[in-house]
Amino acid sequence: MARAVIRDEAISAAEHAGAEAALLDMRFGALLGSGDWAALPPAVRTRFAKRLGPGASVSYAGQIQTFTMHPLGWVLAQACRLIGAPLPLGRDAGVAAVVTVTEDGASGGQVWTRMYARPRGFPQVIHSAKRFAGPTGLEEYLGGGFGIALTVHATLRGIRFASDHYFFCLGKLRLRLPRWCAPGSLTIDHDDLGAGRFAFTLSLRHRLLGEIVRQVGHFHDQPKERAKPARNVIRELLR
């Protein structure tokens, strides 16, 4: 009898673990590898394994803590208006910020929307699309046919996304941009701060001038609730 109870409990635990795994999104985990993924802080694994249905979103609200920009970085940000302004346009710190991740059912990737308040006027809204494709397994599409192939690495407190190379797509043609015409090495760090908070650090380093853009924002997890369609999230943020 005791053996039967133990067997039934083991089967139940295995079924529960299997059902729990089926509810997770392991695309980022697959890029990192099982060892690095398991070593991440639990809160980081939870954020990056959150499974969303097509069109559903999750949002993180916070504040930009610091922002520094070299004059070349400012010129680059203004020039990138031609492809949708993927970089912050100002040097504002101490302003509210919201990051929303939406599952794109059509491409099998994610749409990332970053909203930055400004001292005057409307907030700046930046859109980009992450797709699990390409030679590195992850690409970020910025607009105007331009994109970045990203590598993913585990860090002591979270995850680092680093640029491997930049590319330009024209129809089915994909051209890798030479290093000399690339804006610099891009890194984006997600560092867990504990208590449901994390830091988002964007750094762009030019090969000759050093760091030309650096933005640090602190964000927090939203209360647990069912993922909402993107239109509902945006409507609530604009109230």
Side-chain angles (χ1 to χ4, degrees):
M1 178 67 72
R3 289 183 178 178
V5 171
I6 293 174
R7 183 189 66 232
D8 291 344
E9 289 179 349
I11 292 173
S12 176
E15 290 176 345
H16 176 74
E20 186 176 25
L23 296 176
L24 300 178
D25 181 346
M26 294 304 296
R27 292 175 293 185
F28 288 105
L31 291 172
L32 282 173
S34 58
D36 285 345
W37 177 257
L40 292 175
V44 176
R45 293 200 305 269
T46 297
R47 293 182 196 115
F48 283 91
K50 190 184 297 293
R51 182 174 291 280
L52 301 172
S57 300
V58 60
S59 294
Y60 304 95
Q63 186 180 71
I64 300 304
Q65 302 295 308
T66 61
F67 195 104
T68 56
M69 182 181 283
H70 186 278
L72 177 61
W74 184 88
V75 171
L76 176 65
Q78 307 310 312
C80 284
R81 288 173 182 261
L82 296 173
I83 62 170
L87 289 172
L89 297 173
R91 299 180 175 89
D92 301 316
V95 296
V98 177
V99 175
T100 300
V101 181
T102 304
E103 184 69 18
D104 183 359
S107 69
Q110 298 175 334
V111 176
W112 286 56
T113 303
R114 295 174 288 278
M115 183 183 299
Y116 301 123
R118 291 188 270 197
R120 294 179 299 278
F122 292 107
Q124 181 186 359
V125 181
I126 299 174
H127 301 285
S128 64
K130 282 187 171 65
R131 296 179 186 171
F132 298 88
T136 63
L138 183 65
E139 296 181 336
E140 183 149 9
Y141 292 79
L142 307 176
F146 289 92
I148 313 172
L150 297 169
T151 56
V152 187
H153 310 272
T155 63
L156 185 62
R157 295 190 298 169
I159 292 178
R160 165 170 286 187
F161 299 92
S163 60
D164 182 81
H165 63 272
Y166 296 80
F167 61 88
F168 175 71
C169 289
L170 183 62
K172 294 184 178 181
L173 182 63
R174 186 182 188 278
L175 301 174
R176 178 169 175 160
L177 300 181
R179 184 182 176 189
W180 61 265
C181 71
S185 299
L186 177 73
T187 58
I188 299 174
D189 290 304
H190 176 111
D191 293 316
D192 191 59
L193 300 176
R197 301 178 302 118
F198 64 90
F200 169 95
T201 303
L202 180 150
S203 174
L204 182 63
R205 299 189 67 88
H206 188 270
R207 61 192 181 93
L208 297 178
L209 300 176
E211 193 170 55
I212 58 174
V213 177
R214 181 176 180 84
Q215 181 193 59
V216 180
H218 287 181
F219 296 85
H220 57 83
D221 297 326
Q222 298 299 300
K224 291 184 178 180
E225 56 183 323
R226 294 180 60 187
K228 302 177 181 180
R231 61 181 181 275
N232 291 353
V233 173
I234 294 172
R235 186 180 297 123
E236 291 182 4
L237 294 174
L238 294 177
R239 284 179 180 174

